[in-house]
Amino acid sequence: MNPINRRQLLQLSGFAGMGLLLDSCGLNPYSTAVGKAIDPLNQRVEELLLKPQALAREYPVSDIDPKALIINSFTDAPEIDPTTFKLIIDGAVNQPLQLSMSDIQKLPLRSMVIQHVCVEGWAAIVQWGGVRLRDLIALAQPKNTARYVYFESGDGYYNSWDLPSAMHPQTLLAYQKNGLPLPVDNGAPLRLAAPIKLGYKQSKWVTRVTLLDRLPTKQGYWEDQGYEWFGGL
């Protein structure tokens, strides 16, 4: 990424603000011609604001409201047998992997209480437990050309992230919720959980993680219908 000065950042922010203005008028800013033109600028600003090693706020367990996390999926939960499940990690890696849940649960457990924010306007404090995605990616030995991460889910959902967000220390593939095994409706056996992305970026029932050197034509289920690609907080 080439460095930019303060003036350039303010200019980019001004263009990004146009999206907010359109949104406040009741329009989806990313479904309009103007929105499509400014979307790359919005992404650029958000990438500049992302601090890959800076930790987001974590909350005390006492702040958890078990009923606050709304089950929100575009289809019914798929049937996945956790005893035969294999997570595939492939693409721009030197060591493609197929990991069982037993393999994954042998890796260091990271537990965090964070805020899950939905683009629909609600939020919930949730405790997620699982393995850091960066640890799994490290096992696969990513190539220097890798820039993006593409996620496939058992229900047909798909999504893509920038690599720095995927490598953030609070980005998990979670298999626990509020200290208990992750329920199927919340994405078992594995789901993405991170305090740096909106809810639609946090895929449930993740079955495949593919590292890419460029974004594919199909960037995400909701993104392909007009949602912003970066989806950062």
Side-chain angles (χ1 to χ4, degrees):
M1 181 180 294
N2 295 326
I4 69 170
N5 59 37
R6 183 173 180 273
R7 179 185 296 273
Q8 290 170 313
L9 178 59
L10 289 174
Q11 289 172 339
L12 290 173
S13 301
F15 281 112
M18 291 171 63
L20 297 177
L21 177 60
L22 288 169
D23 193 35
S24 68
C25 295
L27 298 173
N28 179 349
Y30 305 104
S31 65
T32 65
V34 174
K36 291 176 181 178
I38 67 172
D39 192 25
L41 294 173
N42 277 322
Q43 294 175 22
R44 174 70 165 158
V45 170
E46 292 185 82
E47 288 169 359
L48 289 167
L49 294 176
L50 174 68
K51 298 178 181 178
Q53 300 304 317
L55 297 181
R57 179 183 177 184
E58 297 190 24
Y59 297 79
V61 174
S62 57
D63 283 354
I64 297 172
D65 179 357
K67 298 180 181 179
L69 183 65
I70 298 173
I71 296 173
N72 195 352
S73 304
F74 85 111
T75 188
D76 294 333
E79 294 184 8
I80 300 175
D81 185 348
T83 64
T84 59
F85 170 81
K86 295 285 187 180
L87 174 70
I88 297 172
I89 304 177
D90 61 2
V93 298
N94 294 307
Q95 185 63 52
L97 299 173
Q98 291 192 33
L99 301 173
S100 67
M101 285 305 301
S102 177
D103 295 329
I104 292 169
Q105 290 171 352
K106 289 175 183 176
L107 297 171
L109 172 67
R110 170 75 161 96
S111 181
M112 60 185 185
V113 182
I114 58 171
Q115 186 177 51
H116 177 95
V117 179
C118 180
V119 72
E120 294 175 345
W122 59 268
I125 305 298
V126 187
Q127 182 180 32
W128 302 110
V131 60
R132 295 191 302 179
L133 183 56
R134 66 191 292 178
D135 293 342
L136 293 173
I137 291 175
L139 289 176
Q141 301 174 20
K143 295 181 179 180
N144 292 334
T145 57
R147 296 291 181 270
Y148 303 95
V149 185
Y150 189 81
F151 302 98
E152 296 179 38
S153 298
D155 63 341
Y157 197 78
Y158 58 96
N159 209 288
S160 57
W161 287 31
D162 59 297
L163 184 59
S165 292
M167 299 293 282
H168 189 277
Q170 290 169 298
T171 297
L172 304 183
L173 276 178
Y175 52 83
Q176 292 180 358
K177 173 195 167 191
N178 296 336
L180 298 173
L182 183 67
V184 171
D185 285 343
N186 290 127
L190 282 176
R191 65 161 294 149
L192 281 166
I196 60 170
K197 294 288 186 182
L198 288 164
Y200 67 88
K201 301 297 293 184
Q202 300 182 41
S203 302
K204 296 186 284 188
W205 309 295
V206 175
T207 58
R208 192 180 202 117
V209 178
T210 302
L211 274 68
L212 303 171
D213 59 358
R214 65 185 66 184
L215 276 173
T217 302
K218 296 177 65 176
Q219 297 182 4
Y221 177 81
W222 290 112
E223 292 84 339
D224 292 344
Q225 299 181 57
Y227 280 49
E228 183 202 11
W229 174 77
F230 195 81
L233 289 171

